[in-house]
Amino acid sequence: MNRFIAINPDACIGCGTCRAACSEGHREAGLQAEPRLSLVMTRDVSAAVTCHHCEGAPCLQVCPVNAIEKEDGAVHVSEQRCIGCKLCAIVCPFGAIHPSGTSIAGVAGVKVSTPTYPASLDPLLRWEIGVYTRAVKCDLCSYDEAGPHCVPACPTDALVYVEPRDVVEAGKGKRLAAAAGNDAMQPEIAAIRRTR
């Protein structure tokens, strides 16, 4: 059973506070300051997009250097082992992985102009001289015992941290609600409720 962050697009206002909290938390931990979630905005809806920490994890299966591992119900990328091949970003069914790196102009003591690209150019197609990209995806802020920084930062509570026990409880509730409509199941439902 995996852990993940659930998003309610009806509550999301597209403010980007989640991205700022994610970026700041990772920067303070000495990791890339690139936000681990993205924000999708259309005319009708806005929603954060984050890793689902899939059971089958196609990103884990395709990584040629085993830089992606599943541990304690979450999928993690080792930035030190990642070679920047972008295969994980290509196979992610949710578009939750993207490449990122520090440009030469951002390295202390080096002042070299780097090419600029139109904002519409997909990160998978970008290439900058001297930039070593790494896969970036949600790690559920595993470096912090308090959990993901984006969830408490959301002003509208559009993000919810879901743990395996939450999924199990929600499933039980749905099964009980479905069985409640069946008269033949009433004695069994009463017995289950008494044991709670």
Side-chain angles (χ1 to χ4, degrees), residues 9 15 26 109 120 123 126 134 140 159 183 194:
C15 65
H26 284 84
S120 61
R126 287 187 197 137
R134 311 259 191 208
L140 297 173
L159 304 176
D183 292 333
R194 279 193 300 271

Side-chain angles (χ1 to χ4, degrees), residues 2 20-21 28 64 69 71 93 123 141 150 162 185:
N2 60 347
E28 286 177 358
E69 299 171 337
E71 177 182 310
C141 296
C150 59
V162 179
M185 294 296 295

Side-chain angles (χ1 to χ4, degrees), residues 81-179:
R81 278 191 277 162
C82 177
I83 60 171
C85 69
K86 303 179 185 179
L87 289 174
C88 55
I90 293 168
V91 300
C92 178
F94 304 102
I97 302 175
H98 62 277
S100 178
T102 303
S103 70
I104 294 172
V107 176
V110 178
K111 180 67 175 147
V112 177
S113 298
T114 56
T116 57
Y117 300 95
S120 61
L121 187 60
D122 188 280
L124 290 175
L125 301 176
R126 287 187 197 137
W127 178 78
E128 293 183 55
I129 297 168
V131 177
Y132 187 73
T133 61
R134 311 259 191 208
V136 175
K137 63 172 283 311
C138 175
D139 57 4
L140 297 173
C141 296
S142 58
Y143 57 85
D144 191 344
E145 290 180 10
H149 294 211
C150 59
V151 174
C154 182
T156 61
D157 296 326
L159 304 176
V160 178
Y161 181 48
V162 179
E163 295 199 54
R165 68 175 179 273
D166 300 328
V167 174
V168 171
E169 288 300 317
K172 282 182 187 176
K174 287 181 182 178
R175 286 190 297 278
L176 282 173

Side-chain angles (χ1 to χ4, degrees), residues 26-101:
H26 284 84
R27 187 190 61 73
E28 286 177 358
L31 299 168
Q32 288 190 63
E34 179 73 16
R36 268 63 174 163
L37 67 164
S38 57
L39 193 59
V40 174
M41 299 180 79
T42 67
R43 186 176 65 93
D44 300 321
V45 71
S46 62
V49 176
T50 185
C51 179
H52 292 217
H53 299 275
C54 306
E55 287 293 327
C59 57
L60 186 146
Q61 304 299 322
V62 76
C63 183
V65 294
N66 298 321
I68 302 175
E69 299 171 337
K70 189 161 190 172
E71 177 182 310
D72 192 29
V75 178
H76 299 281
V77 174
S78 169
E79 292 183 9
Q80 291 75 26
R81 278 191 277 162
C82 177
I83 60 171
C85 69
K86 303 179 185 179
L87 289 174
C88 55
I90 293 168
V91 300
C92 178
F94 304 102
I97 302 175
H98 62 277
S100 178

